[in-house]
Amino acid sequence: MKSIYSVLVALLLLAPVAQAEVVIIGHTGGPDAISLDQVRNIYLNRSKEMPDSQRATPFELPEGNATRDAFHSAVTGRSNAQLKAFWSQQVFTGKGQPPQEVNDAAAMKASVSSTLGSVGYIDSTQVDDSVKVILKP
């Protein structure tokens, strides 16, 4: 029994780890591309405009979501604790509100597809015709 357990553990360690590829999505009527700096600035309240000068409306997945963690690691470089502290300060000083939170990838696509000037992020496997990929960080 011990050898079967050892073999299973070895196989699990050797198996490739599936990692989500996060993509930045936008409204189909919005810009075709956005830079990493522009996305970072929108999500950190430094900019309120999309590349086409539309007012930016960012959407956020809930804390604890793996796609959210991957997005912030790649784009803002901030942990959940750092984001909480940042947004607490922004709200307290009256400088801004955090992005509107949506429940999951389906809600993210629905929100982005129905809001001109919106930006969001999902796992690349979740992309469909309702939104367009504007950046692959």
Side-chain angles (χ1 to χ4, degrees):
M1 187 66 150
K2 202 172 200 178
S3 65
I4 292 174
Y5 177 74
S6 298
V7 170
L8 288 174
V9 168
L11 286 173
L12 286 173
L13 292 174
L14 294 175
V17 177
Q19 191 170 12
E21 181 187 8
V22 176
V23 293
I24 311 305
I25 58 172
H27 187 278
T28 56
D32 292 330
I34 192 169
S35 74
L36 187 63
D37 285 339
Q38 288 170 318
V39 175
R40 180 181 303 114
N41 289 340
I42 290 168
Y43 274 88
L44 293 178
N45 202 33
R46 297 176 187 155
S47 173
K48 300 196 184 307
E49 286 189 0
M50 294 293 284
D52 63 355
S53 299
Q54 284 282 334
R55 180 164 174 77
T57 305
F59 291 98
E60 183 88 274
L61 289 171
E63 189 176 332
N65 182 293
T67 304
R68 174 185 166 136
D69 294 342
F71 168 79
H72 283 291
S73 177
V75 176
T76 67
R78 298 198 182 189
S79 68
N80 280 325
Q82 291 169 322
L83 287 167
K84 276 184 180 180
F86 171 78
W87 283 111
S88 291
Q89 180 186 33
Q90 294 290 299
V91 170
F92 181 74
T93 59
K95 293 182 180 174
Q97 294 291 318
Q100 183 179 337
E101 195 171 285
V102 295
N103 292 329
D104 54 26
M108 178 71 79
K109 289 187 294 187
S111 296
V112 170
S113 69
S114 65
T115 311
L116 193 59
S118 61
V119 62
Y121 55 88
I122 55 175
D123 185 286
S124 62
T125 62
Q126 301 283 327
V127 175
D128 61 25
D129 291 341
S130 66
V131 295
K132 67 178 164 185
V133 175
I134 56 176
L135 178 67
K136 294 180 181 181

